[in-house]
């Protein structure tokens, strides 16, 4: 899932209280309990599978909140770059939960395809309307968040909204026509869509864990900016990675004219770091070298 990096260059203090995640957690847990009763009452596999999903979501939300708080911790002896990576752990576990719950839905739906059972269509309709309202509200709250964790959690709610839209359409059709097989068919379509999205999110998470270059950092732009600083002759040995998709880290060697004094070199280093801050690099290590010195790296 491509995401916009324009609003990622901000200090983390403003997201210190993930209120969106807490609100979504309580909404979801309460509603999941209601759904289980509703699933049995209406004899609908679509509603019961939504209930299982919602319990999975509650667990995910709890994890997301825990890892969100954890990822705000400053660096220490163990994790000296800080704890940002912990939010990825939350995203990874959430994705696994989604896979497991989707497999459960697929299994349940396939057995219903062969032995369709007529659900209570009017009851389903009422539940669908409430479901769309509750999950839609939670989704809108989470859409505002920028972390990969909040994106995965928002995906859970998008899944639930789509699930309820499917239940709504199915229930309306079943009120007027006798097609109980529609219930499991809709469940299968939703599960397939979700698994595709989980794949995209896992791919983004693994890119970061395997220290791929962050997509928000433009090497060409960095080279241009640094080379435009007076006194800089060249640069090499550029390496960048990202802690969590937002906090980017970089190391580079800057070659300066032989005649530059210690003070001038310090000024160049400060300027380089300043320019990098504006180019989405939050933490940089800059090594200054003379033109004639041989770089062992």
């Amino acid at each position: 899932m491509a995401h916009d990096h324009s609003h990622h260059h901000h200090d983390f203090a403003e997201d210190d209280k993930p209120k969106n995640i807490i609100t979504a957690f309580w909404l979801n847990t309460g509603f999941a309990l209601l759904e289980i009763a509703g699933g049995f009452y209406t004899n609908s596999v679509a509603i019961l599978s939504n209930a299982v999903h919602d319990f999975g979501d509650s667990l995910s939300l709890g994890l997301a909140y825990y890892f969100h708080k954890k990822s705000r911790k400053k660096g220490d002896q163990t994790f000296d770059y800080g704890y940002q990576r912990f939010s990825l752990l939350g995203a990874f576990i959430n994705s696994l939960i989604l896979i497991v719950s989707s497999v459960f839905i697929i299994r349940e739906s396939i057995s219903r395809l062969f032995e369709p059972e007529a659900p209570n269509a009017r009851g389903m309709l009422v539940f669908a309307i409430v479901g769309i309202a509750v999950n839609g509200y939670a989704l809108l709250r989470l859409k505002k968040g920028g972390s990969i964790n909040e994106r995965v959690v928002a995906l859970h709610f998008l899944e639930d909204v789509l699930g309820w839209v499917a239940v709504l359409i199915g229930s309306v059709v079943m009120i007027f026509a006798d097609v109980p097989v529609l219930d499991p068919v809709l469940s299968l379509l939703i599960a397939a869509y979700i698994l595709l999205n989980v794949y995209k999110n896992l791919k983004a998470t693994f890119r970061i864990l395997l220290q791929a270059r962050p997509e928000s950092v433009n090497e060409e732009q960095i080279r241009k900016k640094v080379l435009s600083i007076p006194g800089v002759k060249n640069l090499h040995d550029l390496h960048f990675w990202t802690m969590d998709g937002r906090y980017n880290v970089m190391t580079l060697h800057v070659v300066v004219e032989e005649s530059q004094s210690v003070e001038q070199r310090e000024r160049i280093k400060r300027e380089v770091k300043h320019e990098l801050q504006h180019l989405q690099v939050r933490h940089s290590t800059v090594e200054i070298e003379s033109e004639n010195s041989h770089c062992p790296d």
Side-chain angles (χ1 to χ4, degrees), residues 16-17 33 38 51-52 110 129 151 157 159 164 180 183 202 205 232 246 256 262 266 271 282 289 292:
D16 267 338
K17 300 188 196 71
L33 293 168
V52 170
I110 288 171
I129 292 165
R151 288 215 318 280
F157 282 102
E159 168 182 52
W164 286 113
D183 191 29
L202 276 177
T205 303
V232 172
R246 308 202 280 187
V256 300
V262 174
E266 279 304 314
E271 267 187 62
R282 293 281 293 274
E289 293 171 3
N292 303 332

Side-chain angles (χ1 to χ4, degrees), residues 248-259:
N248 300 325
V249 182
M250 181 178 180
T251 62
L252 76 161
H253 291 199
V254 175
V255 180
V256 300
E257 292 159 5
E258 200 67 49
S259 57

Side-chain angles (χ1 to χ4, degrees), residues 1-44:
M1 292 176 89
H3 55 294
D4 167 34
H5 293 279
S6 56
H7 61 282
H8 285 176
H9 188 65
H10 67 321
D11 209 83
F12 280 50
E14 73 200 57
D15 330 312
D16 267 338
K17 300 188 196 71
K19 288 195 283 287
N20 298 338
I21 289 182
I22 299 170
T23 307
F25 174 80
W26 288 115
L27 262 176
N28 210 61
T29 310
F31 190 57
L33 293 168
L34 191 66
E35 274 174 298
I36 287 187
F40 285 114
Y41 173 70
T42 58
N43 186 32
S44 162

Side-chain angles (χ1 to χ4, degrees), residues 1-243:
M1 292 176 89
H3 55 294
D4 167 34
H5 293 279
S6 56
H7 61 282
H8 285 176
H9 188 65
H10 67 321
D11 209 83
F12 280 50
E14 73 200 57
D15 330 312
D16 267 338
K17 300 188 196 71
K19 288 195 283 287
N20 298 338
I21 289 182
I22 299 170
T23 307
F25 174 80
W26 288 115
L27 262 176
N28 210 61
T29 310
F31 190 57
L33 293 168
L34 191 66
E35 274 174 298
I36 287 187
F40 285 114
Y41 173 70
T42 58
N43 186 32
S44 162
V45 63
I47 290 184
L48 271 179
S49 35
N50 268 338
V52 170
H53 247 125
D54 278 348
F55 271 120
D57 290 350
S58 287
L59 179 57
S60 301
L61 289 163
L63 282 170
Y65 176 66
Y66 171 75
F67 286 120
H68 186 99
K69 283 190 73 138
K70 188 89 170 156
S71 71
R72 292 292 168 266
K73 279 179 71 176
K74 295 277 179 281
D76 57 22
Q77 291 281 296
T78 318
F79 298 99
D80 49 12
Y81 267 114
Y83 282 74
Q84 290 97 324
R85 280 272 158 100
F86 275 80
S87 69
L88 294 182
L89 201 54
F92 178 67
I93 295 171
N94 280 359
S95 297
L96 291 185
I97 292 168
L98 270 176
I99 291 169
V100 172
S101 56
S102 296
V103 168
F104 175 88
I105 283 193
I106 291 165
R107 216 185 66 192
E108 189 58 32
S109 304
I110 288 171
S111 70
R112 283 272 180 125
L113 280 177
F114 299 110
E115 296 168 29
E117 295 175 27
N120 172 342
R122 284 192 169 76
M124 283 174 72
L125 179 68
V126 173
F127 262 92
I129 292 165
V130 179
I132 291 169
V134 172
N135 288 290
Y137 174 71
L139 175 67
L140 290 174
R141 289 289 298 258
L142 286 160
K143 271 285 191 203
K144 294 174 188 154
S147 71
I148 194 164
N149 213 338
E150 280 172 304
R151 288 215 318 280
V152 174
V153 174
L155 183 65
H156 282 267
F157 282 102
L158 173 62
E159 168 182 52
D160 291 334
V161 170
L162 287 170
W164 286 113
V165 169
V167 172
L168 179 75
I169 296 166
S171 62
V172 170
V173 173
M174 285 187 280
I175 285 170
F176 297 107
D178 183 28
V179 274
V181 76
L182 203 56
D183 191 29
V185 167
L186 290 168
S187 284
L188 286 171
L189 289 173
I190 300 152
Y193 169 77
I194 293 311
L195 288 174
L196 178 70
N197 277 311
V198 166
Y199 165 73
K200 289 180 185 168
N201 260 310
L202 276 177
K203 200 170 138 193
T205 303
F206 277 112
R207 261 189 72 86
I208 297 170
L209 286 174
L210 298 171
Q211 297 201 333
R213 282 194 166 189
E215 286 157 351
S216 57
V217 175
N218 181 336
E219 183 180 343
E220 218 28 63
Q221 220 181 351
I222 286 176
R223 282 186 180 277
K224 272 220 304 270
K225 267 278 185 251
V226 174
L227 288 170
S228 70
I229 295 169
V232 172
K233 298 298 284 180
N234 208 338
L235 62 150
H236 59 258
D237 208 31
L238 275 74
H239 294 285
F240 11 175
W241 64 98
T242 182
M243 295 302 294

